[in-house]
Amino acid sequence: MSRKVPRRKARVEELTEELAIGAAMQLRCDSREIHDVVKAVVDYLVKEYPAQDLYIPAGFNFQQYPVQRIKADLASGRSVRWVCQRYRMSHKTLYRVLSEAGQKSES
């Protein structure tokens, strides 16, 4: 048996517990009530997507981006690609940030 197996099982159990707690908070119930359902979902994901990391995007937080600096960089002639790399965001996120900044300044 590989040394990675116990470590992997522990990570899966930690993930299950964390998801059960998070789901219970969202649903306003006891995590023990939904633990079996969450465990079934995690087991399914492990079975269907073996040896893959699942990408879980962070929630969008408009305030985390320095909008004024981004606008200044674009106004100074920097490329969209450069700005996206500099601020570690996708093109879609850049346009969303600029769109929300425009909406906030209009209100």
Side-chain angles (χ1 to χ4, degrees), residues 16-59:
T16 303
E17 290 301 318
E18 189 71 26
L19 289 173
I21 291 168
M25 288 170 42
Q26 290 292 317
L27 298 171
R28 294 189 171 101
C29 66
D30 191 326
S31 65
R32 291 176 294 219
E33 293 174 9
I34 58 173
H35 185 271
D36 292 338
V37 173
V38 172
K39 181 166 178 18
V41 170
V42 171
D43 289 343
Y44 169 78
L45 292 173
V46 168
K47 181 180 171 187
E48 287 296 314
Y49 303 97
Q52 293 186 21
D53 291 330
L54 296 176
Y55 172 69
I56 302 173

Side-chain angles (χ1 to χ4, degrees), residues 51-106:
Q52 293 186 21
D53 291 330
L54 296 176
Y55 172 69
I56 302 173
F60 185 75
N61 182 2
F62 176 72
Q63 279 86 23
Q64 75 184 12
Y65 295 104
V67 177
Q68 297 307 319
R69 287 194 315 201
I70 291 171
K71 286 182 177 181
D73 285 338
L74 290 170
S76 71
R78 297 284 188 182
S79 70
V80 169
R81 182 176 183 207
W82 185 90
V83 170
C84 290
Q85 288 175 342
R86 169 87 166 89
Y87 296 101
R88 298 179 185 174
M89 64 173 69
S90 68
H91 291 83
K92 183 177 178 181
T93 300
L94 173 64
Y95 295 125
R96 185 173 176 188
V97 166
L98 294 175
S99 172
E100 289 194 21
Q103 289 174 0
K104 289 197 186 279
S105 66
E106 291 174 3

